[in-house]
Amino acid sequence: MARILAIETSCDETAAAVVEDRCHVLASVIASQDDVHARFGGVVPELASRRHLECIAPVIAEALERASVSLDRIDAIAVTQGPGLVGSLLVGVCAAKAIAWQRGLPLIAVNHLEGHVRSPFLLHPGIAFPAVALVVSGGHTALYACPEEGVYRLIAKTRDDAAGEAFDKVAKLLGLGYPGGPAIDKLAEGANERAIEFPRAAMKDGSLDFSFSGLKTAVRVRAQKDGLVAKGPAAGEPMRDVVASFQRAVVEVLVDTTARACELEGVRTVLLAGGVARNRRLRRAFEEAAPARGWTVYAPADAHTTDNAAMIGEAAFLHFERGSFASLDLNADAALKLGGGMSRPAPPRPSSSKEDRR
Ligand code: KG4
Ligand code: ZN
């Protein structure tokens, strides 16, 4: 039995979790910064890193306390190395290195995107490969082919806004608050999603890449025409129809592109991940598409869609089991890529391992 303390600070959530044997989450603590960034309608990087600094120690302490374990009973420290905001990432990386050094524990660097891709495994540990993973969050929208465990190949990415970013920007424009995804999800429920036919971008070069900026502009033009800008939910049915039609456009693009990716890869297992995977319309669309397409769709529990450290802990077990540890000169990498096999090459095991200290 092994236990990993995982730390995640890539954007605006300070998170720590204790995960046992891959998928048993003994504790998962998330300090959200929504209150800090709400009035700006988006994450302010400098404010995010400052808040991480305030929260990191208490969040780690709370995770250990809720899990009823001390650091003596932890076998490795895992941390998100990237991608993300560099100032935010650095807080987590420094905290993880400090604990690993002080306790003589192995350090595991996890790619944030690998964490998202692995998040459904916390609920469904036995998912079989190959699979196609759709990661839809505030910072990323991408499709990965996952031929086997720990191997990822980027099939498609967004060329401009991420899907969650489009939700957030549209919500800001319409005066619906931050984060925009949950607000639009709620407001769109029961509205006429066929009221407006918003454009869907298709790449001229035949690639599966996404683009949401044209859709966002179309919503802006329509909202200006209908006098809806910044009116918020008080604008009533016309507002609900706009957000529901926008949401349908995003969802249809995501389902259709995932379908093309699955056909190309000859794959029928679909993994959904990231904050937008919490969207109820998106979940419904994948559930409805599954029987005809022969898909089995796996989504994470709601708590593991948006940024959290439990998914980092789960992904860290792959590296732990393979003895793939980071050295104490690990640095944050804001532009870390996922898509070339294991997310990090295996550096040598640190000299001061737990066993060495005994
Ligand atoms: O995964 P996440 O915490 O962030 C990144 O790693 O980037 O996802 C946050 C994003 C935000 O853009 C938020 O608006 C969106 O996920 N989101 C949703 C919903 N809940 C969160 N989007 C659509 N519908 C939702 N219910
Ligand atoms: Zn994320």
Side-chain angles (χ1 to χ4, degrees), residues 8 10-13 112-113 116 136-140 162-168 178-186 247 273-280 305-308 311:
E8 152 64 41
S10 66
C11 190
D12 61 338
E13 252 95 40
H112 180 75
L113 296 167
H116 274 305
V136 268
S137 71
H140 309 275
E165 196 179 355
F167 271 94
D168 293 337
Y178 173 85
I184 289 179
D185 189 345
K186 205 164 144 217
Q247 180 173 264
V276 182
R278 200 169 185 150
N279 184 274
R280 289 170 298 171
T305 51
T306 43
D307 290 348
N308 66 91
M311 68 182 190

Side-chain angles (χ1 to χ4, degrees), residues 5-93:
L5 169 66
I7 297 169
E8 152 64 41
T9 61
S10 66
C11 190
D12 61 338
E13 252 95 40
T14 317
V18 179
V19 183
E20 191 173 83
D21 290 342
R22 280 195 175 210
C23 59
H24 300 295
V25 182
L26 301 187
S28 177
V29 177
I30 303 170
S32 163
Q33 300 184 0
D34 285 352
D35 58 325
V36 176
H37 307 287
R39 68 195 169 106
F40 303 103
V43 178
V44 183
E46 179 63 21
L47 297 181
S49 42
R50 281 165 192 253
R51 179 59 82 91
H52 281 308
L53 270 177
E54 288 165 15
C55 293
I56 189 73
V59 163
I60 292 171
E62 193 177 333
L64 291 167
E65 195 186 316
R66 281 202 214 164
S68 303
V69 297
S70 66
L71 281 171
D72 292 338
R73 294 176 59 213
I74 295 292
D75 299 288
I77 309 294
V79 66
T80 302
Q81 184 193 7
L85 301 170
V86 72
S88 293
L89 288 164
L90 277 170
V91 177
V93 167

Side-chain angles (χ1 to χ4, degrees), residues 15-332:
V18 179
V19 183
E20 191 173 83
D21 290 342
R22 280 195 175 210
C23 59
H24 300 295
V25 182
L26 301 187
S28 177
V29 177
I30 303 170
S32 163
Q33 300 184 0
D34 285 352
D35 58 325
V36 176
H37 307 287
R39 68 195 169 106
F40 303 103
V43 178
V44 183
E46 179 63 21
L47 297 181
S49 42
R50 281 165 192 253
R51 179 59 82 91
H52 281 308
L53 270 177
E54 288 165 15
C55 293
I56 189 73
V59 163
I60 292 171
E62 193 177 333
L64 291 167
E65 195 186 316
R66 281 202 214 164
S68 303
V69 297
S70 66
L71 281 171
D72 292 338
R73 294 176 59 213
I74 295 292
D75 299 288
I77 309 294
V79 66
T80 302
Q81 184 193 7
L85 301 170
V86 72
S88 293
L89 288 164
L90 277 170
V91 177
V93 167
C94 289
K97 289 202 294 190
I99 300 170
W101 173 74
Q102 201 259 333
R103 309 295 298 197
L105 288 169
L107 180 68
I108 300 170
V110 177
N111 185 312
H112 180 75
L113 296 167
E114 183 175 34
H116 274 305
V117 170
R118 299 277 321 174
S119 60
F121 287 79
L122 285 164
L123 203 56
H124 313 280
I127 301 172
F129 291 92
V132 158
L134 173 69
V135 179
V136 268
S137 71
H140 309 275
T141 294
L143 278 161
Y144 294 94
C146 310
E148 57 187 275
E149 191 153 76
V151 180
Y152 312 95
R153 180 166 40 80
L154 183 66
I155 308 175
K157 60 181 183 329
T158 180
R159 297 216 177 159
D160 39 59
D161 292 338
E165 196 179 355
F167 271 94
D168 293 337
K169 286 180 176 171
V170 162
K172 184 178 179 183
L173 163 82
L174 299 174
L176 299 173
Y178 173 85
I184 289 179
D185 189 345
K186 205 164 144 217
L187 201 61
E189 189 72 30
N192 178 11
E193 63 171 20
R194 303 208 168 261
I196 306 155
E197 204 55 43
F198 283 123
R200 285 119 172 95
M203 295 301 131
K204 289 201 180 80
D205 58 8
S207 99
L208 296 191
D209 281 355
F210 302 96
S211 167
F212 294 107
S213 71
L215 170 61
K216 186 187 63 192
T217 305
V219 173
R220 174 181 291 121
V221 169
R222 177 69 191 222
Q224 278 164 347
K225 187 168 147 258
D226 292 355
L228 297 175
V229 173
K231 281 199 172 160
E237 276 321 289
M239 176 70 88
R240 284 166 32 78
D241 291 350
V242 167
V243 297
S245 301
F246 157 77
Q247 180 173 264
R248 177 171 69 92
V250 175
V251 167
E252 285 179 359
V253 165
L254 294 173
V255 175
D256 291 350
T257 314
T258 304
R260 287 173 63 201
C262 286
E263 269 166 35
L264 281 173
E265 298 294 322
V267 164
R268 290 177 161 205
T269 298
V270 177
L271 310 177
L272 296 181
V276 182
R278 200 169 185 150
N279 184 274
R280 289 170 298 171
R281 178 68 177 79
L282 180 82
R283 296 270 186 126
R284 229 170 28 240
F286 272 94
E287 273 162 30
E288 283 166 12
R293 297 190 183 277
W295 286 348
T296 311
V297 180
Y298 297 99
D302 278 355
H304 303 141
T305 51
T306 43
D307 290 348
N308 66 91
M311 68 182 190
I312 302 301
E314 202 283 345
F317 268 96
L318 289 187
H319 302 256
F320 184 76
E321 287 160 12
R322 294 171 186 192
S324 172
F325 298 113
S327 60
L328 286 176
D329 61 5
L330 177 75
N331 205 354

